Amino acid sequence: MTSVPFPREAYYERIGATTTLLPLVTANTSTTPGALGVNFLRNLVLAHLSTIPFENVDVLLGRPISTNLADLYNKLIHARRGGYCIEQNSLLRAAMVDAGFTHIRTLGGRSVIPDEAVATGRLHVMNLVTIHGEEGEEERWVVDVGTSAGVPMGPLRLDTTASQFTPAGEFRISKYDLCTNKEMMHYARPVGGFDEGWTEYAFEMHAHSGTWRAIHRFDLQPQYPRDVFAMNYVTYQLAVIGYSLRGSRTVTTWAPEGTQGIPNGVGGWVCVPRGVHGLRVETESRVSVRTLNAYPGAPDAAPPTGELAPPVPHEEHPTTPGELYDWMVEYLGIDFTQTRLPQYNVSREEFEKALRARVVLFGGKEWEPPVY
């Protein structure tokens, strides 16, 4: 990842936080890593998720995905597009470093959706942020804005197994002994027990069924820019994400701190989650518009006042490539026809052609897992 200046003003304008978060970053002169605190991170994550959607359209078009920071700034900020996990979390990492969160480790994760028993390739990227707690102790937080489904919408404390409440619901982080994994049984157990190299963590979501469901498993080995480059290449060249259309965006508003019973405000303001728009098209089309009613530190709080866009009736779900194109523009806020950087534009014709070639629902070839 090439070192280029972070476009601070443009980023905070992009996420709608020029009067809420940007002044805090500008005024921060502390040399203490993470001096702005975890509440700043909570609001930053929500603001980012609400304006920079998860989407994989370029992968379907066969366009290479760059991990160069200059390219990420152009695509996700200036061209007002979205991206998938590696793009999203790389951009957020740069924003956090610029805001004084300088102790950040990039981690690699494995998706365990839909089968937790299968050890998939390490193709997901997330960030581990170390900050000083209120009493001076160091706290480690997992920050991930790069999942189209199951994203916690807030930082998760690493060093606890207790339930943690986020705008997306209840989550927890668990630890796994790698040698209990059926694909790892042939490795010898290390003398003296297990260290971080032999342990995987997982962030898990409390599902509506009452069970805990793992979303990603990860370890604490640092992933360097060349590691991220390799993961990114395999993802857009070979992974299943190139054979399905995915997108999501959180809906938020800014409210004065202390209103509506929602904590975690910063600088007099709090980013209030309202709902989420989601899209996944493979062998079928699943489109959702749902309201959120779980908030950080207040899991039983009533939803804030104000209406989210009403649920889309089933018969009105987009069913053709052209309708999906329009849905992504309207609900995800993607600008496919901006004039500043036309190389990131996507015409309706390109979009429809890509879906018919790559997505099974529209006649595309079914994804075949690589043979390892």
Side-chain angles (χ1 to χ4, degrees):
M1 298 180 185
T2 305
S3 178
V4 294
F6 181 72
R8 179 185 291 177
E9 287 75 16
Y11 174 76
Y12 285 97
E13 186 277 329
R14 175 77 169 99
I15 67 171
T18 55
T19 61
T20 50
L21 298 182
L22 177 58
L24 301 177
V25 177
T26 303
N28 179 34
T29 59
S30 174
T31 58
T32 301
L36 290 177
V38 69
N39 285 348
F40 177 91
L41 282 184
R42 290 189 175 107
N43 286 274
L44 179 67
V45 165
L46 275 172
H48 182 108
L49 287 169
S50 69
T51 48
I52 306 180
F54 183 101
E55 54 109 336
N56 67 325
V57 174
D58 281 355
V59 185
L60 294 175
L61 292 171
R63 297 177 181 176
I65 305 299
S66 175
T67 56
N68 181 286
L69 284 178
D71 293 334
L72 292 175
Y73 299 159
N74 280 335
K75 180 183 176 183
L76 276 67
I77 298 176
H78 302 306
R80 308 187 77 82
R81 286 285 306 279
Y84 61 29
C85 69
I86 295 173
E87 298 170 281
Q88 295 277 359
N89 281 316
S90 296
L91 175 60
L92 185 67
R93 185 185 193 279
M96 291 189 293
V97 170
D98 178 72
F101 295 87
T102 52
H103 287 186
I104 300 178
R105 181 186 302 183
T106 300
L107 304 178
R110 311 175 190 276
S111 173
V112 288
I113 301 175
D115 188 351
E116 297 181 31
V118 176
T120 61
R122 186 180 295 173
L123 300 178
H124 184 69
V125 165
M126 59 188 73
N127 292 299
L128 180 66
V129 183
T130 300
I131 64 176
H132 288 276
E134 295 179 356
E135 299 180 1
E137 76 281 7
E138 288 190 346
E139 298 178 353
R140 297 190 294 179
W141 296 84
V142 178
V143 181
D144 184 1
V145 294
T147 306
S148 61
V151 62
M153 298 184 191
L156 295 178
R157 183 79 179 269
L158 177 69
D159 300 306
T160 179
T161 57
S163 298
Q164 304 179 56
F165 292 96
T166 82
E170 187 179 5
F171 286 78
R172 71 181 183 188
I173 291 183
S174 300
K175 293 177 70 173
Y176 290 84
D177 177 349
L178 276 182
C179 288
T180 64
N181 186 297
K182 63 183 180 182
E183 294 192 8
M184 302 293 292
M185 289 296 287
H186 62 283
Y187 286 105
R189 290 175 177 266
V191 176
F194 296 91
D195 58 21
E196 291 181 347
W198 287 84
T199 300
E200 276 193 336
Y201 296 78
F203 71 77
E204 302 174 335
M205 178 174 61
H206 197 195
H208 294 297
S209 62
T211 60
W212 288 94
R213 181 180 181 185
I215 306 299
H216 286 104
R217 292 172 65 165
F218 60 96
D219 62 24
L220 302 185
Q221 298 298 322
Q223 303 300 306
Y224 300 105
R226 289 187 179 183
D227 300 318
V228 175
F229 177 89
M231 287 189 286
N232 180 60
Y233 182 83
V234 173
T235 298
Y236 75 77
Q237 287 282 3
L238 299 174
V240 67
I241 197 171
Y243 293 83
S244 63
L245 176 65
R246 305 181 191 183
S248 65
R249 183 178 71 86
T250 304
V251 179
T252 66
T253 56
W254 286 94
E257 183 179 3
T259 62
Q260 306 179 82
I262 300 172
N264 302 326
V266 291
W269 294 90
V270 59
C271 193
V272 182
R274 302 287 192 185
V276 62
H277 302 306
L279 170 70
R280 189 182 181 103
V281 183
E282 293 173 316
T283 56
E284 62 178 355
S285 178
R286 286 175 286 173
V287 178
S288 63
V289 182
R290 64 185 178 92
T291 300
L292 294 170
N293 57 10
Y295 301 97
D300 299 322
T305 57
E307 293 295 326
L308 178 67
V312 180
H314 181 72
E315 63 272 13
E316 296 181 14
H317 280 180
T319 57
T320 68
E323 290 174 349
L324 287 164
Y325 182 93
D326 293 335
W327 193 93
M328 296 185 80
V329 171
E330 179 179 358
Y331 285 91
L332 302 188
I334 299 175
D335 189 350
F336 285 130
T337 59
Q338 48 81 39
T339 58
R340 180 173 180 177
L341 295 167
Q343 65 267 35
Y344 295 105
N345 286 350
V346 180
S347 70
R348 182 184 298 272
E349 292 73 23
E350 287 179 298
F351 184 89
E352 294 182 1
K353 182 179 179 180
L355 262 61
R356 292 193 174 98
R358 302 291 289 270
V359 178
V360 171
L361 181 63
F362 301 114
K365 181 181 178 181
E366 188 170 353
W367 177 67
E368 297 180 3
V371 178
Y372 299 104

